[in-house]
Amino acid sequence: MQPTGHLRGDAVRVGGDARQRFYDARGYGRPLDGNEIALSRVEAAHLLFRGDLSGIELGGDADEIDADPVGFERFFVASAAAADRFAVRFLVYSDLRDRGFYLSPAREPWPGGSDAPSDAVDFVAYERGETPDTGNVKYPIQVVGERESVAAAGLAGRTLAVVDEESDITYFAAEGGRIDGATGYEPPGSLAGVLLADRVVVWDAPEGLYERGFYGRPLTGRAADVEGALQLSLVEAASLAADGRLSLSASVGGGNADDDRDAGDAPAGAAARIVARGRDVEGERFDRRLAVYRRLRAADAVPKTGFKFGADFRTYLDVETVDDLPHSEHLVRVVGPDHEFSPRELSLDVRLAGGVRKEMAFALTAVGDGHPGADADAFLDADVEWLSVDRLTP
C-alpha cells in the first residue's frame, strides 16, 4: 500500500520509508528526522498523480487535519488556490520529470535553494543521473505563463519555461556574454559629408570605407556617372563624427532655424548636429541604438540595420571585403534595462532569428532614459549588458 501524506503549512510530510523510497531513490523532497521527508506542494501533487501516494490529509494543525485523505484532483485544486502559479509550475515540473530530470524547488529550505541565481527561479533541474545531494545544477528554471511579463535585467543564466494557453511548454536558454568580432578596418580621419533629413552623404568616400569597413551604402544606379558617393545612416555618421573622423560641409532638411545649406561643422560640432537630428527623427531610441552601435564597432563587429528582420541591427563578425561578405551572425534588439518581455514577443524574436540562421541578442542600456538631452555625450561610454536567447530542448 502506498503511503499517505500530511499537509503542514505549505509542505506535505510523509513518514514510513519515505526517505529511501522518494528522496534517496528519486530525489523528491528534503529529509527530516528519521525517515520522514517534506515535499513541496508540486512534488506531492506529482507523486499523487503518479499513484505513488495514496492520498494527502489536508489541514494546518494536528487537530484540524481532515480525517479523509484527498486524491489528486482535490489536492490540485486546493493547491492552485493556496499557491501562486501552482498550475503552470506543476506542468513544468511534470514535464521535466518525464524527461528524466531530478529537480527541486529553488526556495529555501528546499535542496538547491541556495544555488538559485535569483528569487525568480522556480526549480533547479540537476544533471541527468544526479540528485539534490550532488548539487550539480543543469537548468535554473523560471516558469511563466504566456500572458505574464519577464524582466530582461538579470535573465542571463536562467532557463525560461513558458506555458501557453493550451498547456504546451516552450523552453528558452538565456545567456549573458558579449559580441566580439575580428574586423580590422580603421576608417580614415578626413571624411566630409552633407547632413540630409535622415542620412549623411559623403560624396568622395574612399573605396575602403564601404568595401572593407562596410560603412553605408553606395549611391549607385545603372546609368550613374557619379563615383565615390556613399550614404551613411545617422548612427554610422554620428559614430564616425564622435570619433573625429567625419565633418559636415552642409546641413539641410532638418526643419530647424540653425540648419543652413552652407553651414559647416568640424567633427565635434558635426557629432552634436547629427545626434540632434537623430533624436528629432527617432526620439530617445536613437541614443540607445548609437551607444550599442559604438560598442559593437569597438568590439570589431560590423553592425548593419536589422530592419528587414524586425531588429535594430544584424551583425557581421569578420568582414574582409564586401565582395566576400560572410553570413551575418546575430540579430540585435536594443532595449532599456527595465524592459519587460512578453513571452509572445520573445518567442517571435527567437523564432525569426533561428529561421534565418542567426542568434537573437538583446542589448540593455540605460542611455536615452528620461529626457534625451540630459547628457548629450552619454552614448560615448555607455554601459551595455548583453543577453542572448535561444530555443532549448532539455
Side-chain angles (χ1 to χ4, degrees), residues 307-371:
F307 172 79
K308 291 181 180 179
F309 306 102
D312 289 292
F313 301 111
R314 67 190 194 276
T315 64
Y316 300 85
L317 299 186
D318 190 3
V319 176
E320 294 185 3
T321 171
V322 172
D323 293 333
D324 188 23
L325 198 64
H327 185 75
S328 60
E329 292 89 350
H330 300 87
L331 294 182
V332 178
R333 273 192 60 203
V334 181
V335 298
D338 57 351
H339 181 75
E340 292 191 351
F341 298 109
S342 75
R344 187 183 298 272
E345 165 196 19
L346 195 61
S347 180
L348 180 62
D349 285 339
V350 173
R351 174 70 75 177
L352 176 58
V356 292
R357 295 178 297 151
K358 305 183 197 307
E359 182 178 339
M360 191 67 222
F362 299 91
L364 283 63
T365 178
V367 172
D369 284 344
H371 191 279

XYZ file of all heavy atoms in Angstrom, residues 307-371:
510
model
N 16.433 46.074 -40.032
C 15.046 46.409 -40.327
C 14.291 45.247 -40.985
O 13.145 44.961 -40.635
C 14.992 47.641 -41.231
C 13.610 47.959 -41.736
C 12.689 48.607 -40.929
C 13.225 47.582 -43.016
C 11.416 48.892 -41.384
C 11.945 47.861 -43.474
C 11.039 48.510 -42.665
N 14.913 44.575 -41.941
C 14.223 43.501 -42.663
C 13.834 42.346 -41.742
O 12.972 41.534 -42.098
C 15.101 42.979 -43.794
C 15.294 43.985 -44.925
C 16.156 43.402 -46.032
C 16.336 44.415 -47.166
N 17.199 43.887 -48.259
N 14.484 42.271 -40.600
C 14.209 41.184 -39.654
C 13.463 41.679 -38.415
O 13.322 40.940 -37.439
C 15.521 40.525 -39.232
C 16.358 40.055 -40.384
C 17.462 40.781 -40.801
C 16.037 38.889 -41.062
C 18.235 40.362 -41.854
C 16.806 38.460 -42.132
C 17.904 39.200 -42.537
N 13.037 42.936 -38.422
C 12.337 43.477 -37.276
C 13.231 43.742 -36.079
O 12.756 43.798 -34.946
N 14.539 43.906 -36.318
C 15.512 44.132 -35.244
C 16.187 45.480 -35.465
O 15.997 46.151 -36.487
C 16.547 43.007 -35.210
N 17.008 45.890 -34.502
C 17.761 47.131 -34.651
C 18.988 46.937 -35.532
O 19.306 47.792 -36.362
C 18.186 47.654 -33.277
C 17.004 48.192 -32.486
O 16.444 49.226 -32.896
O 16.631 47.567 -31.486
N 19.701 45.815 -35.321
C 20.913 45.554 -36.090
C 21.002 44.079 -36.458
O 20.429 43.224 -35.787
C 22.175 45.921 -35.288
C 22.249 47.356 -34.850
C 22.128 47.684 -33.510
C 22.454 48.365 -35.777
C 22.191 49.006 -33.093
C 22.520 49.699 -35.364
C 22.397 50.008 -34.025
N 21.742 43.825 -37.520
C 22.302 42.500 -37.775
C 23.808 42.686 -37.713
O 24.302 43.788 -37.977
C 21.871 41.954 -39.146
C 22.431 42.700 -40.327
C 21.773 42.268 -41.640
N 22.495 42.728 -42.812
C 22.377 43.919 -43.373
N 21.544 44.813 -42.840
N 23.075 44.250 -44.451
N 24.559 41.677 -37.332
C 25.995 41.867 -37.134
C 26.813 40.904 -37.983
O 26.425 39.744 -38.184
C 26.392 41.666 -35.664
O 26.133 40.314 -35.282
C 25.624 42.604 -34.749
N 27.938 41.414 -38.451
C 28.948 40.619 -39.148
C 30.211 40.658 -38.291
O 30.692 41.735 -37.931
C 29.241 41.190 -40.540
C 28.036 41.226 -41.446
C 27.149 42.296 -41.406
C 27.785 40.183 -42.326
C 26.036 42.328 -42.231
C 26.671 40.211 -43.168
C 25.801 41.283 -43.108
O 24.697 41.298 -43.922
N 30.749 39.497 -37.991
C 31.876 39.456 -37.056
C 33.229 39.616 -37.732
O 34.163 40.136 -37.129
C 31.834 38.146 -36.252
C 30.578 37.938 -35.400
C 30.725 36.683 -34.545
C 30.296 39.160 -34.517
N 33.364 39.179 -38.977
C 34.676 39.206 -39.627
C 34.510 39.587 -41.089
O 34.294 38.736 -41.947
C 35.353 37.839 -39.507
C 36.803 37.872 -39.952
O 37.296 38.958 -40.299
O 37.446 36.802 -39.954
N 34.603 40.882 -41.364
C 34.467 41.382 -42.733
C 35.847 41.703 -43.281
O 36.562 42.536 -42.723
C 33.574 42.634 -42.784
C 33.536 43.198 -44.201
C 32.169 42.310 -42.299
N 36.225 41.043 -44.367
C 37.471 41.375 -45.059
C 37.191 42.227 -46.284
O 37.907 43.175 -46.575
C 38.227 40.104 -45.446
C 38.728 39.314 -44.241
C 39.571 38.134 -44.646
O 39.809 37.962 -45.861
O 40.003 37.384 -43.748
N 36.124 41.872 -46.980
C 35.681 42.654 -48.123
C 34.203 42.403 -48.352
O 33.715 41.282 -48.119
C 36.483 42.306 -49.397
O 35.873 42.958 -50.529
C 36.510 40.813 -49.646
N 33.485 43.427 -48.791
C 32.058 43.273 -49.054
C 31.816 42.315 -50.205
O 30.773 41.663 -50.284
C 31.414 44.654 -49.337
C 29.972 44.507 -49.800
C 31.482 45.514 -48.091
N 32.792 42.181 -51.113
C 32.648 41.237 -52.227
C 32.624 39.792 -51.754
O 32.151 38.907 -52.474
C 33.796 41.427 -53.230
C 33.718 42.766 -53.937
O 32.582 43.279 -54.059
O 34.766 43.295 -54.345
N 33.149 39.537 -50.569
C 33.155 38.189 -49.997
C 32.559 38.253 -48.590
O 33.160 37.830 -47.615
C 34.587 37.637 -49.965
C 34.621 36.164 -49.572
O 33.592 35.472 -49.758
O 35.663 35.710 -49.067
N 31.347 38.773 -48.512
C 30.717 39.028 -47.227
C 30.257 37.733 -46.572
O 29.589 36.910 -47.206
C 29.516 39.961 -47.420
C 28.972 40.690 -46.200
C 30.020 41.658 -45.660
C 27.701 41.439 -46.571
N 30.590 37.522 -45.298
C 30.111 36.319 -44.612
C 28.637 36.454 -44.261
O 28.033 37.525 -44.412
C 30.974 36.268 -43.342
C 31.280 37.716 -43.061
C 31.418 38.364 -44.404
N 28.066 35.370 -43.775
C 26.691 35.392 -43.288
C 26.659 36.154 -41.962
O 27.546 35.998 -41.131
C 26.215 33.953 -43.080
C 24.770 33.831 -42.700
N 23.752 34.012 -43.602
C 24.176 33.551 -41.512
C 22.594 33.837 -42.998
N 22.824 33.563 -41.733
N 25.666 37.015 -41.776
C 25.570 37.728 -40.504
C 25.184 36.757 -39.393
O 24.419 35.814 -39.608
C 24.559 38.875 -40.592
O 23.272 38.404 -40.917
N 25.716 36.983 -38.208
C 25.607 36.002 -37.125
C 24.524 36.310 -36.105
O 24.021 35.403 -35.451
C 26.953 35.884 -36.384
C 28.072 35.263 -37.215
C 28.850 36.298 -38.022
O 28.402 37.461 -38.089
O 29.894 35.932 -38.594
N 24.186 37.577 -35.906
C 23.257 37.947 -34.841
C 22.188 38.903 -35.345
O 22.415 39.678 -36.282
C 23.987 38.664 -33.684
C 25.055 37.858 -33.032
N 26.350 37.822 -33.493
C 25.016 37.065 -31.931
C 27.072 37.035 -32.716
N 26.289 36.575 -31.756
N 21.035 38.846 -34.698
C 20.080 39.944 -34.732
C 20.106 40.590 -33.358
O 20.108 39.896 -32.339
C 18.665 39.443 -35.043
C 18.429 38.856 -36.433
C 16.974 38.452 -36.588
C 18.821 39.838 -37.528
N 20.130 41.909 -33.327
C 20.250 42.641 -32.066
C 19.061 43.575 -31.904
O 18.758 44.369 -32.805
C 21.561 43.465 -32.015
C 21.643 44.252 -30.718
C 22.766 42.540 -32.154
N 18.396 43.462 -30.783
C 17.372 44.425 -30.399
C 17.885 45.214 -29.209
O 18.430 44.639 -28.257
C 16.067 43.727 -30.018
C 15.141 43.444 -31.198
C 13.766 43.031 -30.729
N 13.154 44.088 -29.925
C 12.191 43.880 -29.049
N 11.720 42.663 -28.830
N 11.667 44.878 -28.373
N 17.725 46.531 -29.253
C 18.190 47.419 -28.193
C 17.009 47.762 -27.286
O 15.966 48.223 -27.769
C 18.799 48.702 -28.781
C 19.300 49.608 -27.671
C 19.923 48.352 -29.762
N 17.177 47.529 -25.992
C 16.105 47.800 -25.026
C 16.704 48.479 -23.798
O 17.914 48.457 -23.575
C 15.375 46.505 -24.604
C 14.691 45.847 -25.800
C 16.329 45.524 -23.928
N 15.832 49.070 -22.988
C 16.272 49.681 -21.745
C 16.479 48.635 -20.667
O 15.992 47.501 -20.772
N 17.193 48.966 -19.597
C 17.484 47.988 -18.542
C 16.249 47.549 -17.773
O 16.269 46.502 -17.131
C 18.467 48.731 -17.629
C 18.201 50.183 -17.884
C 17.800 50.280 -19.324
N 15.174 48.335 -17.834
C 13.947 47.960 -17.143
C 12.922 47.328 -18.084
O 11.746 47.200 -17.745
C 13.328 49.178 -16.452
C 13.039 50.323 -17.429
O 13.479 50.234 -18.598
O 12.380 51.297 -17.024
N 13.376 46.914 -19.250
C 12.460 46.333 -20.241
C 11.890 45.009 -19.744
O 12.582 44.217 -19.090
C 13.197 46.093 -21.556
C 12.331 45.516 -22.640
N 11.409 46.266 -23.328
C 12.231 44.255 -23.136
C 10.791 45.513 -24.213
N 11.261 44.285 -24.107
N 10.634 44.783 -20.048
C 9.992 43.516 -19.733
C 9.470 42.889 -21.020
O 8.733 43.530 -21.781
C 8.848 43.709 -18.731
C 9.334 44.133 -17.353
C 8.242 44.053 -16.308
O 7.064 43.835 -16.676
O 8.567 44.206 -15.101
N 9.873 41.643 -21.254
C 9.407 40.919 -22.431
C 8.022 40.345 -22.168
O 7.717 39.918 -21.055
C 10.326 39.727 -22.746
C 11.742 40.089 -23.076
C 12.768 39.802 -22.183
C 12.067 40.687 -24.281
C 14.082 40.109 -22.476
C 13.383 41.004 -24.586
C 14.389 40.715 -23.688
N 7.217 40.289 -23.198
C 6.094 39.375 -23.161
C 6.600 38.072 -23.763
O 7.397 38.098 -24.712
C 4.905 39.913 -23.967
O 5.143 39.783 -25.354
N 6.210 36.909 -23.244
C 6.685 35.652 -23.818
C 6.382 35.530 -25.315
O 7.162 34.948 -26.066
C 5.937 34.596 -23.001
C 5.753 35.236 -21.664
C 5.457 36.680 -21.987
N 5.260 36.097 -25.754
C 4.927 36.048 -27.185
C 5.957 36.828 -28.000
O 6.414 36.373 -29.051
C 3.529 36.619 -27.400
C 3.004 36.467 -28.820
C 1.642 37.126 -28.940
N 0.679 36.500 -28.070
C -0.061 35.454 -28.409
N 0.090 34.915 -29.599
N -0.933 34.949 -27.566
N 6.326 38.021 -27.508
C 7.334 38.841 -28.172
C 8.674 38.110 -28.220
O 9.353 38.081 -29.254
C 7.458 40.162 -27.401
C 8.676 40.996 -27.714
C 8.940 42.073 -26.666
O 8.427 41.972 -25.525
O 9.677 43.003 -26.990
N 9.054 37.513 -27.114
C 10.328 36.804 -27.047
C 10.339 35.616 -27.999
O 11.317 35.372 -28.720
C 10.561 36.338 -25.606
C 11.968 35.893 -25.229
C 12.955 37.038 -25.402
C 11.982 35.383 -23.802
N 9.256 34.864 -28.029
C 9.167 33.706 -28.907
C 9.260 34.115 -30.370
O 9.931 33.458 -31.174
C 7.856 32.958 -28.647
O 7.736 31.834 -29.487
N 8.601 35.218 -30.721
C 8.643 35.702 -32.100
C 10.060 36.082 -32.503
O 10.536 35.710 -33.581
C 7.701 36.897 -32.250
C 7.623 37.538 -33.641
C 7.094 36.550 -34.662
C 6.731 38.780 -33.601
N 10.751 36.833 -31.645
C 12.127 37.244 -31.958
C 13.043 36.035 -32.131
O 13.831 35.963 -33.080
C 12.666 38.140 -30.843
C 12.091 39.543 -30.891
O 11.608 39.952 -31.959
O 12.128 40.231 -29.857
N 12.967 35.107 -31.188
C 13.861 33.953 -31.216
C 13.547 33.051 -32.413
O 14.442 32.542 -33.087
C 13.763 33.166 -29.897
C 14.557 31.871 -29.970
C 14.273 34.025 -28.748
N 12.265 32.851 -32.701
C 11.873 32.019 -33.836
C 12.339 32.632 -35.148
O 12.857 31.931 -36.029
C 10.361 31.843 -33.838
C 9.812 31.105 -35.050
C 10.180 29.644 -35.050
N 9.397 28.905 -34.082
C 9.481 27.586 -33.928
N 10.333 26.881 -34.663
N 8.753 26.973 -33.021
N 12.180 33.941 -35.298
C 12.617 34.613 -36.519
C 14.128 34.509 -36.689
O 14.623 34.192 -37.773
C 12.197 36.076 -36.492
C 12.668 36.936 -37.674
C 12.174 36.369 -38.988
C 12.209 38.379 -37.512
N 14.872 34.760 -35.603
C 16.331 34.673 -35.693
C 16.768 33.266 -36.075
O 17.636 33.081 -36.934
C 16.961 35.083 -34.362
N 16.171 32.265 -35.458
C 16.525 30.896 -35.796
C 16.172 30.545 -37.222
O 16.896 29.798 -37.897
N 15.049 31.104 -37.728
C 14.626 30.809 -39.093
C 15.559 31.364 -40.145
O 15.582 30.868 -41.278
N 16.335 32.399 -39.806
C 17.297 32.964 -40.758
C 18.732 32.663 -40.308
O 19.671 33.356 -40.692
C 17.071 34.482 -40.943
C 15.757 34.738 -41.651
C 17.117 35.224 -39.613
N 18.871 31.652 -39.482
C 20.183 31.135 -39.052
C 21.024 32.195 -38.342
O 22.209 32.375 -38.608
C 20.952 30.555 -40.244
C 20.302 29.342 -40.867
C 21.068 28.847 -42.060
N 21.077 29.852 -43.115
C 22.062 29.973 -44.000
N 23.135 29.212 -43.917
N 21.988 30.886 -44.956
N 20.385 32.890 -37.408
C 21.092 33.877 -36.608
C 20.769 33.657 -35.130
O 19.789 32.996 -34.791
C 20.695 35.300 -37.020
C 20.893 35.591 -38.504
C 20.552 37.023 -38.834
C 20.355 37.223 -40.320
N 21.449 36.748 -41.145
N 21.607 34.233 -34.283
C 21.373 34.190 -32.846
C 20.703 35.481 -32.420
O 21.086 36.566 -32.860
C 22.704 34.013 -32.109
C 22.576 33.899 -30.602
C 23.920 33.671 -29.935
O 24.860 33.208 -30.618
O 24.036 33.967 -28.735
N 19.688 35.356 -31.552
C 18.974 36.546 -31.081
C 19.681 37.114 -29.864
O 19.895 36.424 -28.865
C 17.538 36.179 -30.713
C 16.644 37.388 -30.468
S 16.352 38.339 -31.977
C 16.501 40.016 -31.349
N 20.056 38.385 -29.968
C 20.741 39.051 -28.860
C 20.015 40.340 -28.516
O 19.502 41.045 -29.399
C 22.197 39.349 -29.214
N 19.970 40.636 -27.234
C 19.366 41.869 -26.750
C 20.451 42.688 -26.069
O 21.267 42.149 -25.313
C 18.227 41.567 -25.777
C 17.111 40.779 -26.394
C 17.119 39.394 -26.338
C 16.072 41.413 -27.055
C 16.099 38.654 -26.928
C 15.053 40.691 -27.642
C 15.062 39.313 -27.571
N 20.467 43.984 -26.360
C 21.440 44.894 -25.757
C 20.692 45.806 -24.804
O 19.833 46.592 -25.226
C 22.150 45.706 -26.834
N 21.007 45.706 -23.513
C 20.341 46.511 -22.484
C 21.232 47.697 -22.133
O 22.391 47.518 -21.735
C 20.090 45.687 -21.225
C 18.940 44.681 -21.204
C 19.145 43.572 -22.226
C 18.790 44.079 -19.819
N 20.716 48.897 -22.311
C 21.476 50.076 -21.944
C 20.537 51.151 -21.436
O 19.416 51.294 -21.928
C 22.309 50.624 -23.127
O 22.997 51.805 -22.717
C 21.436 50.939 -24.326
N 20.994 51.915 -20.434
C 20.175 52.963 -19.830
C 20.259 54.269 -20.592
O 19.557 55.219 -20.264
C 20.604 53.189 -18.379
N 21.114 54.354 -21.612
C 21.225 55.584 -22.383
C 19.875 55.895 -23.010
O 19.206 55.023 -23.558
C 22.297 55.440 -23.481
C 22.272 56.636 -24.413
C 23.658 55.299 -22.848
N 19.465 57.166 -22.933
C 18.198 57.565 -23.523
C 17.060 57.587 -22.542
O 15.986 58.079 -22.860
N 17.245 57.033 -21.330
C 16.184 57.098 -20.338
C 15.953 58.558 -19.931
O 16.891 59.318 -19.712
C 16.543 56.280 -19.090
C 16.375 54.792 -19.327
O 15.712 54.440 -20.319
O 16.907 53.998 -18.537
N 14.721 58.939 -19.798
C 14.416 60.316 -19.445
C 14.572 61.231 -20.641
O 14.467 60.825 -21.792
N 14.852 62.495 -20.392
C 14.977 63.467 -21.472
C 16.235 63.197 -22.278
O 17.332 63.068 -21.727
C 15.028 64.884 -20.903
C 14.880 65.944 -21.951
N 15.919 66.358 -22.739
C 13.787 66.660 -22.361
C 15.493 67.289 -23.582
N 14.215 67.491 -23.370
